[in-house]
Amino acid sequence: MRWRNTTSEWGGVTQLFHWGMLFLIIGQYTLAYTMVDLPPSDKKWELFAWHEQMGVTLFLLAFIRLWWREKNPIPKDSPKAPRWDAIVSKANIWILYILLFAFPLTGFLMTVLGGHPVNYFGLFTIPAFMQGPNVYAKTFLTAHIWISFILYVVVGFHILGALYHQFIVKDNIFTRMLPHP
């Protein structure tokens, strides 16, 4: 397996970022939907702590992923696909990057502005910025929820695009993101 990207395929590091962050995000959604339905308890706060820590991890990985993208070639667009496809694809990718930063950032701001510190796996603690609950924390909670729904839609379009390339255009765009020897 090639670890770095080429102009014809995504490398192993990019694939790890792609699939690893997808699974972390699925885990985040699972934690979120589980914890919000629990009554106040030690279990609920433990799940909130995990959600916060994974959110910080995703935020840091988004920076590393963007840095890696800038340091590696980007595989060329499919010559079989129409021009509009490349434009829509690039827009989708950049919207995903924006959401990969905005989603954890709004969660973080909601937490620290709402009067709660964020402990990162015991390595360090970011203190609360103000007492909560307050209008700022509620505003970032609303943004966090809206971004979660927007992310569903944008990821859905990303998946539809991959399936479009696999079954209609029949190029190798989809398989370039899969591990191969």
Side-chain angles (χ1 to χ4, degrees):
M1 171 185 279
R2 197 178 259 121
W3 289 103
R4 296 184 66 91
N5 301 346
T6 67
T7 57
S8 62
E9 64 185 30
W10 296 105
V13 172
T14 301
Q15 291 174 17
L16 278 171
F17 277 128
H18 182 268
W19 297 109
M21 290 180 78
L22 172 66
F23 288 118
L24 285 174
I25 290 168
I26 291 169
Q28 283 293 77
Y29 276 97
T30 303
L31 277 173
Y33 286 119
T34 302
M35 69 191 189
V36 297
D37 288 336
L38 291 175
S41 64
D42 288 343
K43 182 67 173 174
K44 180 175 186 141
W45 309 132
E46 182 182 327
L47 293 178
F48 263 99
W50 271 101
H51 186 74
E52 292 165 1
Q53 293 168 117
M54 296 313 300
V56 172
T57 300
L58 280 164
F59 188 69
L60 297 172
L61 286 173
F63 276 105
I64 297 167
R65 184 177 183 171
L66 190 59
W67 171 81
W68 182 260
R69 181 181 175 91
E70 292 302 313
K71 296 292 179 191
N72 280 269
I74 303 297
K76 293 181 176 157
D77 296 327
S78 170
K80 293 181 178 181
R83 178 77 184 124
W84 64 263
D85 180 84
I87 294 166
V88 170
S89 173
K90 283 177 181 41
N92 182 269
I93 294 296
W94 286 108
I95 291 168
L96 280 170
Y97 271 105
I98 290 166
L99 294 172
L100 285 175
F101 286 103
F103 200 23
L105 184 60
T106 56
F108 170 77
L109 290 171
M110 168 187 62
T111 302
V112 296
L113 293 174
H116 304 283
V118 174
N119 181 305
Y120 190 67
F121 296 110
L123 298 173
F124 59 86
T125 300
I126 301 167
F129 293 172
M130 52 184 20
Q131 294 296 317
N134 58 56
V135 68
Y136 305 110
K138 289 177 184 172
T139 300
F140 282 108
L141 169 62
T142 301
H144 195 62
I145 291 168
W146 274 102
I147 290 169
S148 75
F149 294 130
I150 294 167
L151 190 60
Y152 274 134
V153 172
V154 176
V155 168
F157 279 119
H158 190 69
I159 292 167
L160 286 174
L163 295 173
Y164 164 77
H165 277 275
Q166 181 68 20
F167 298 110
I168 296 172
V169 179
K170 297 182 180 179
D171 54 16
N172 70 338
I173 297 294
F174 177 76
T175 57
R176 293 191 309 191
M177 193 51 83
L178 298 175
H180 48 278

